[in-house]
Amino acid sequence: MKSTTYDKTPEIQVQGYDEHAWQGWPALLAALNDPLSDAKKTVLVIDCYPGVRLDELEQALKTQFAGSCLLNVEAARRNEEALHALLARNLTDDRVFGVLSCHQLIEFFDPQQLAALRQQVGDASGLVIVYGPGAALVHNGDVLVYADLPRWEIQQRMRSGELGNWGAENNDEDILRRYKRAFFIEWRVFDRHKTPLLQRADFLLDTTVADNPAMVSGDALRAGLAHTVQRPFRVVPFFDPGVWGGQWMKKQFDLDPSKPNYAWCFDCVPEENSLLLRFGDVRIEIPSLDVVLIHPRELLGEKVHARFGAEFPIRFDFLDTIGGQNLSFQVHPLTEYIQQQFGMHYTQDESYYILDAEPDAVVYLGTKTGTDPQAMLDNLHQAAQGQTNFDDARFVNQIPARKHDHFLIPSGTVHCSGSGAMVLEISATPYIFTFKLWDWGRLGMDGLPRPVHLEHGEKVIDWQRDTPWVHEHLVNCIEPMGEGDGWREERTGLHEREFIETRRHWFTKPVTHHTLGGVNVLNLVAGDEARVDSPTGAFEPFVVHYAETFIVPASVGEYRITPWGKGVGQQLATMKAWVRG
C-alpha cells in the first residue's frame, strides 16, 4: 500500500484545558456529578442534536443517577402525522429536493404537553434531568449539556438503517428522501436552536462514537472555537464511494482497499465535515459548522458575513473518475430559480480544477454551436424514458482535460467531468442543487434508478453558452497577476457571474498572502509539503501536504506559505479562493 502524507484526521490542539475534558461514560458522568451534588434541587438539561442515540444516553443516566426524575422531551413532540402536515410544503413530493425551512423548533412540540413537562419539573424535587432534542424548551437548565454530532455521522446512521428522520418512523424509507428531510428541515431548525445553547452550555457532549462519548466543559469548547478562528486549520475530510467513482484517491490517500471505489471527498465543506479539537488526552469531534455558527465574523470577515450570514460559502471537494466513469450530465439552477423554487438565497456556481488526468480525459462543457434546444431536450426526454441514449457527441462540447487545467462552470452551464479525471471542485456551497439531465443509463449503488430532473434542468439551461463562448470564457482563462523572486501569481477565474475569485501561486520560495478581511480557502495542488506561518508569530506554524485543503480565517490577516520538508527544492503551487468584494 502506498504511504501518504495526506492527513485524514487533522486536529487542533487547545492549550490550558487538559483537565476540562473526559472520555467514556464513567469519567464524564462523574465529572458531571460535581456541579449537581450539593444543591437540594437541580435541573440538568441535556439538549441533543437529532440523531444522538437517546437509548444509550438514557441508560447511562439511569445508571449514574438512579432515583432521579428523568423526563424525555420527545414525550411532548407532535405526532408523526401532525409533523408531516406541518412540513408538507417543505417536504414536497420530490425524491431529492425540498424547500428550506424557516420553522422554529418549538413549532414541532404540542404546547399543552410541553407545559405539562414544565409543570413536572416545577413540582419535582432533588435532581431533575430533562433530555432529548429540544430539552432546553422545557427548562433553561441549572446545568446545561449539549449533545452534538456531525452530519456525516448522521448520514452513516441513516444509511445503515439505524436512523430515520426526527419524529418519523421511516428508517426503511429511501435514503434520498430521508436525507432531503434532514437537509431542508431538521438541520436548519436544530442549527438555529443549538447556536445560543452552545454559547452558554456548561458542557459539550460528543456522541459520535457509540458507547465511547467524550465531553468537554463549555468554557474549554468556546476557548477551542475562539482559538480555531485565529489560525489556519483543516476540517476532517470524508470519502464516499459512488457509481461513477475512481481509484486515484484510494491509492493516493491510503483508503480502504475493500471499497469498490471512491467518488467524492468532502475536503472542505464545513456544513458537512467534522472539526477535531484536542484537549490533552481527549479528542472532541464536533460539526465544523459549529465554528461558523459561533464565530462567523472572525472566520468569514465582515463583508462575507454581512452577505451570507453564518454560512460558509466556499466549498472544496474532490471528484475522482480515474479508473471510473463519467459523472452525470447536469446543470445547476440560476440564482432566481433557486430562490423561487427552493428558498436558497444563492446558487451553486462552480469550477473544475484538474489535479490529475489520464491522456484521453475530457470535460463536457456547454452546448455545441448550432444546437437546437428543443432537439436536445427531446433527446434527453427520450433517454430518460429508456427509448435511446443521449447523443452527447451531437449536442455537447467535449474538451480535453489536462493536469492543472481550470474549467469554470457558472450556473446554467451544462457540464460533467468525463472518466479519467481527478477534479478539485471549487464552488459555492449549496451542493445539493444539481439537476441531472442524463446519467448514462445507470442505476445507483442502491440498485435504484438515479433521479433525473429534466423538469427543473430544462428551465435553467443557458443555450448561449456554445462552443466559442465556452472556450473564450470558461476554459483556462488564466491571467498573469505578478511575480517575484521564486514565485508567480495567476488569476484562474472564476467567471464574472460567480462570486468566488481564484488565484494560483507557483513558488519555490516563501510567498506572502493576506486575507484582506475575508476568509481564504487553499489547496496545495503541486508539491509534497509546505508550511504556513505568521510573519509576526501570531499563530503556531501549520504544515500542509499535497492535495490538502485548508482554511485561513479572515482574522488571520497576513500569512506566509513556504516550501517545507519534502517540498523543499520542488516547484509548489496553491489554489486560493475567496469571496470577491
Side-chain angles (χ1 to χ4, degrees), residues 239-253 255 261-265 317-327 356 358 417-425:
F239 302 86
D240 210 18
V243 66
W244 44 263
Q247 303 298 316
W248 190 92
M249 288 192 294
K250 185 190 292 189
K251 297 174 183 177
Q252 184 70 40
F253 301 150
L255 304 179
N261 63 61
Y262 285 95
W264 292 277
C265 169
D317 64 284
F318 298 136
L319 309 171
D320 182 1
T321 68
I322 292 181
Q325 304 174 27
N326 295 346
L327 298 182
D356 206 350
E358 295 181 325
S417 171
S419 62
M422 179 62 201
V423 173
L424 168 63
E425 186 176 47

Side-chain angles (χ1 to χ4, degrees), residues 7 36 38 56 67 122 133 141 161 203 205 216 218 228 260 265 333 342 353 361-362 430 432 455 469 489 495 521 539:
D7 188 356
L36 306 176
D38 297 331
E56 180 186 332
F203 300 94
L205 179 60
V216 65
T228 299
C265 169
F342 308 112
Y353 187 87
V362 299
I432 195 175
E455 73 278 12
W469 194 93
E489 179 184 11
H495 186 261
V521 182
F539 57 82

